[in-house]
Each structure stands twice: as C-alpha cells, then as structure tokens.
Amino acid sequence: MLRRIMKDLRGEPIVARDGVIGPLKDVYFDDQRWGVRYLVVDTGRWLPGRKVLIPPASVEADGAGRSWSFRLRLSREEVEHSPPADSAPPVSRQFQEAHARYYRFNWYWTEPHMWGARPGSAAARSDEEAFRRMKAAETQAQRSHLRSIRAVAGYHIEASDGRIGHVEDFTLDDQLWTIAGVVVDTRNWLPGRKVLVAPAAVCAIDWRGRKVVLRMSCGELRCARDAL
C-alpha cells in the first residue's frame, strides 16, 4: 500500500505490544537504495526529550506483508533500549554538527534561538586544525546516504533545464519499506499541480544547495502523473 509520509503518516501513534510509545516524527531513508532505514519516534512524556530509532522489521504486518499501521513486535522495555536518534544522524545533521563545532556555535536544535549563534562565537579562520576536522566531518557526511524525510521536504527541484517547484512529500510502500516516489509541487510553473517522480529520476540530493537534482527536463515533469 502506498501512503504519503508527511501528509498521512507523520504524527501517527507508534504502538508497542504493551502500549503507545509516541508519534512518528521522521523517517530516515537511504538515497541510493531508497529503502527506509529507520522510523524516528518521539517518546514524549514516557521518555521525556528522547527520540528513538525503530527499524521497519519491527513493525507488525498482515499476511500480504502490509504494515498494520505502526504496531510493533517490541515491548515498551525493548523500545526503551533502542538506539537514540542521534546515534545515526542523517547527512544534514552531520553537516550541521561539523559546522557548529568549527564556528563554535551551539547546536540550534538544542537551543531556543535559531542556529544557536552567539556574538563572538565564530572560530578564528587561522585555526587550521579545527578547519581540518570540519572538512573531515564533511567528507564523512558526504559518503553517508542516510537522509531525513523532514529535512528533504521543502528542497528545491532542479530539472535538467531549470529549477521547478519543490519537494512536498514522499510516498512509502509499506510492504517493501521503500520510498516509491517523490511528490513535487510545481506551483511556480504549473499552478496548483503536484506530480509524482520516481526515485530513479533523482540524480542527487544536495544538502548544501537544499535541492534535489533530477535527470528529467521541465517538459518531462509536465507529463508526469499527478500525485496521490
């Protein structure tokens, strides 16, 4: 069954064998194989301030292999011992951490102010060792293919002959646990139209440029089928 992740699934309760553990906050996927690697669950009041990673293999399925909503084979105790979300950061988070360390910013996701920057917090550009560490972290992040659905939603779409629209959502095949399509909002070119692009048409996902690069032209996007 195909379902929209941001529209239909984000915020849905994740239920262990002995009770609800919290809502679905994000999905991490591999942008080479387009397979879902983890469900990111906010444990809320049960484990305050903690988000855990749940592999799709832990989700119950019916006889046809489709997921039964988000009911897990795990108990709440087993979920409590699941790895925290920070143990497998997606590419965007790795880049942000590398730059935050170099410029001596606080990490914005732990601070009340956007980006967590403070006056005078930037590192001296002559700090070669800090710069080397930042570049090494960037290289490591670039080799990673773990992406966050929440991070990529909103990225610009770069067709082979120009920019057109942005990523609005992704469709999930809950039988194969793969990303089946990218929902593209083309409102700046085809007003009000949202089309579905196959993962095979994606050439690259560029965190720095906040864009998804396609092998398709704008004209080919015009002929793409409408999103669900």
Side-chain angles (χ1 to χ4, degrees), residues 33-97:
R33 299 182 179 182
W34 293 88
V36 172
R37 292 272 299 277
Y38 303 108
L39 306 177
V40 183
V41 185
D42 186 345
T43 57
R45 295 181 180 178
W46 175 48
L47 297 172
R50 187 165 178 228
K51 294 182 178 67
V52 296
L53 300 176
I54 302 294
S58 298
V59 178
E60 290 281 5
D62 63 16
R66 292 181 292 267
S67 69
W68 287 341
S69 186
F70 287 116
R71 295 186 175 275
L72 306 181
R73 298 185 179 93
L74 308 174
S75 67
R76 286 163 66 96
E77 182 179 3
E78 289 174 309
V79 171
E80 186 174 357
H81 292 97
S82 296
D86 286 343
S87 67
V91 173
S92 55
R93 177 64 63 83
Q94 291 184 52
F95 269 114
Q96 290 160 355
E97 288 182 359

Side-chain angles (χ1 to χ4, degrees), residues 21 23-24 27 47 72 85 101 104 111 120-122 157-158 178 196 200 212 222 224:
I21 62 173
L24 178 71
V27 172
L47 297 172
L72 306 181
R101 288 193 181 101
R104 299 174 187 168
E111 295 292 325
S121 62
I157 293 292
E158 189 83 30
T178 57
L196 195 62
V212 173
R222 184 197 294 272

Side-chain angles (χ1 to χ4, degrees), residues 136-169:
E138 284 185 348
T139 299
Q140 182 179 358
Q142 287 170 330
R143 291 172 180 165
S144 170
H145 293 278
L146 191 65
R147 303 283 180 172
S148 157
I149 290 291
R150 286 184 65 190
V152 178
Y155 278 21
H156 298 295
I157 293 292
E158 189 83 30
S160 59
D161 54 354
R163 180 170 288 189
I164 171 173
H166 65 270
V167 177
E168 179 167 290
D169 208 340

